[in-house]
Amino acid sequence: MIVLYILLAVLVLLVMVTIHEFGHYVAGKMLGFKINEFSVGFGPAIFSKKKKNGEIFSLRIIPLGGYCAFDGEDEKSESEQSFMKQKPWKRLIVLFFGAFFNFISAIIFSLILLCTVGYDVPKVTKIVDVNGNIQTELKQGDIITHIDGVKVSFINGNTFNSLIAKFDSGETFETTVIRDGQKQVINLTMLEDTDGKKLLGINIKATPYSFGESLLLCVPFTCVLAWQILALFGQLLTGGLGLAGLGGPITTVTTMATLSMQGISNFLVLLPLIAANLAVFNLLPFPALDGSKMVFTTIEWIRGKPINQKVENWIHTIGLILLFGVVIIADLYHLIF
């Protein structure tokens, strides 16, 4: 069974990368760039078809990546439609569209998540006895919307767990719930188990939003995800995030497979998270990534002349080697520890 979930995880990752590369492809076609090949996967080709305009579409054996090969992007070309002979503003759009398509897909995945599973607004599924104490004011099926007058919402970081975490054991606070379609305000008391751990004494699950609400919330939800991912990268640069917080493709696939086995809700949460992660990651100004290429293109636009292409290619090559090194080390770390 685990093999099937691993295959599902690999397929999801492949789809995410293909969406990214398709963004480059669409922008390139719109702006008149010459494209040599669009490939799904790396390595030897399993399937390949050449169009009349010379473009090759390939399906390759290693399903952990893909690429959109523009003519003249990494080598010299005499074609007027080659990548480096296009105006800088056009190249910036093409480079940006990969991440942009990932972000659009993250919004779509967020919409699906919010209207099918929900995310942060909790519904009480069970009242649990905590050291002889029971929340008698609550009933199974209650939907908790406010804690101490503050609306439960991921947009402002007011998640259910963060709102109740500020109360000490024995402290009472107002809670707004929806019960049988009616709004009620009740008082809850923070409980404590035999180990001294604070508990509210309930089991909960997320409540789905209506389609209209999901449509309004999917964009801010995706923006919050992107911001949180960017914050993690910031912690990585400042040393606040160790090697245990990193992961390469092997770690990503195994984590996705493990979480997917735990239920469809976990799988649906992963989709916008991974898509947003790819969008943010590729816009970072690190050599070999789209963000770095955008920086070089912007410098060229300001200077009025291109940077030596050999020098830029060397910088991106070194950056790519470093990236591969980091993800390999991260995967080995997770495999060993």
Side-chain angles (χ1 to χ4, degrees), residues 268-323:
L268 291 176
V269 169
L270 282 173
L271 293 180
L273 183 62
I274 294 171
N277 184 49
L278 279 174
V280 172
F281 178 72
N282 277 282
L283 288 178
L284 294 177
F286 188 85
L289 299 179
D290 292 336
S292 174
K293 295 177 181 179
M294 291 176 70
V295 170
F296 278 101
T297 304
T298 302
I299 293 173
E300 174 189 337
W301 198 1
I302 295 171
R303 291 176 72 228
K305 60 180 180 179
I307 296 171
N308 187 299
Q309 192 170 1
K310 288 185 178 179
V311 173
E312 183 179 343
N313 287 342
W314 268 108
I315 292 173
H316 292 314
T317 300
I318 293 170
L320 188 62
I321 293 171
L322 288 173
L323 279 176

Side-chain angles (χ1 to χ4, degrees), residues 214-269:
S214 301
L215 203 58
L216 291 173
L217 291 171
C218 61
V219 174
F221 178 82
T222 306
C223 289
V224 169
L225 282 182
W227 179 254
Q228 291 174 343
I229 291 165
L230 188 60
L232 288 176
F233 282 122
Q235 291 179 31
L236 177 62
L237 292 175
T238 58
L241 183 67
L243 196 60
L246 295 176
I250 295 175
T251 304
T252 302
V253 166
T254 53
T255 302
M256 287 172 61
T258 302
L259 291 176
S260 298
M261 289 178 67
Q262 297 173 7
I264 186 65
S265 59
N266 286 333
F267 177 74
L268 291 176
V269 169

Side-chain angles (χ1 to χ4, degrees), residues 41-63:
F42 291 121
I46 301 172
F47 169 82
S48 185
K49 183 177 180 180
K50 190 172 185 178
K51 295 175 64 178
K52 291 182 180 180
N53 62 1
E55 292 178 9
I56 299 173
F57 286 84
S58 303
L59 179 63
R60 299 182 178 272
I61 197 168
I62 304 174

Side-chain angles (χ1 to χ4, degrees), residues 3-264:
V3 175
L4 294 177
Y5 284 101
I6 289 174
L7 290 175
L8 175 63
V10 170
L11 178 62
V12 169
L13 197 59
L14 183 62
V15 168
M16 297 292 184
V17 175
T18 301
I19 289 171
H20 178 90
E21 297 302 329
F22 188 64
H24 292 314
Y25 179 83
V26 169
K29 293 294 290 184
M30 289 172 57
L31 296 173
F33 284 66
K34 183 180 178 182
I35 300 171
N36 292 333
E37 182 178 358
F38 183 88
S39 175
V40 178
F42 291 121
I46 301 172
F47 169 82
S48 185
K49 183 177 180 180
K50 190 172 185 178
K51 295 175 64 178
K52 291 182 180 180
N53 62 1
E55 292 178 9
I56 299 173
F57 286 84
S58 303
L59 179 63
R60 299 182 178 272
I61 197 168
I62 304 174
L64 291 176
Y67 56 87
C68 180
F70 290 94
D71 186 66
E73 185 177 8
D74 298 316
E75 73 288 326
K76 287 186 178 180
S77 174
E78 299 303 319
S79 173
E80 291 301 317
Q81 293 179 304
S82 66
F83 190 85
M84 293 306 296
K85 289 189 178 181
Q86 299 287 344
K87 293 180 180 180
W89 67 267
K90 288 187 176 182
R91 279 182 272 148
L92 285 172
I93 292 174
V94 169
L95 290 168
F96 173 73
F97 253 56
F100 178 66
F101 264 47
N102 282 138
F103 192 77
I104 294 298
S105 68
I107 291 174
I108 295 171
F109 293 138
S110 296
L111 174 64
I112 295 170
L113 168 69
L114 293 174
C115 67
T116 57
V117 175
Y119 187 72
D120 61 338
V121 178
K123 182 177 183 178
V124 179
T125 59
K126 185 178 180 181
I127 311 296
V128 181
D129 184 295
V130 180
N131 201 22
N133 296 301
I134 297 177
Q135 300 285 7
T136 56
E137 296 293 329
L138 280 175
K139 291 185 178 181
Q140 185 175 334
D142 285 350
I143 299 172
I144 301 174
T145 61
H146 293 72
I147 299 292
D148 203 29
V150 180
K151 184 177 181 180
V152 178
S153 173
F154 59 84
I155 295 177
N156 297 317
N158 295 323
T159 62
F160 176 72
N161 288 333
S162 66
L163 289 174
I164 66 172
K166 61 183 180 180
F167 298 107
D168 295 324
S169 300
E171 192 171 354
T172 300
F173 52 92
E174 283 190 349
T175 307
T176 304
V177 302
I178 303 295
R179 180 180 297 168
D180 299 325
Q182 300 295 319
K183 183 183 291 186
Q184 295 188 28
V185 178
I186 61 176
N187 290 321
L188 294 181
T189 302
M190 183 61 68
L191 307 176
E192 183 177 287
D193 64 11
T194 53
D195 297 323
K197 183 179 179 181
K198 295 192 301 181
L199 295 171
L200 203 51
I202 57 175
N203 291 343
I204 59 174
K205 68 175 184 179
T207 305
Y209 292 91
S210 68
F211 181 78
E213 290 173 324
S214 301
L215 203 58
L216 291 173
L217 291 171
C218 61
V219 174
F221 178 82
T222 306
C223 289
V224 169
L225 282 182
W227 179 254
Q228 291 174 343
I229 291 165
L230 188 60
L232 288 176
F233 282 122
Q235 291 179 31
L236 177 62
L237 292 175
T238 58
L241 183 67
L243 196 60
L246 295 176
I250 295 175
T251 304
T252 302
V253 166
T254 53
T255 302
M256 287 172 61
T258 302
L259 291 176
S260 298
M261 289 178 67
Q262 297 173 7
I264 186 65

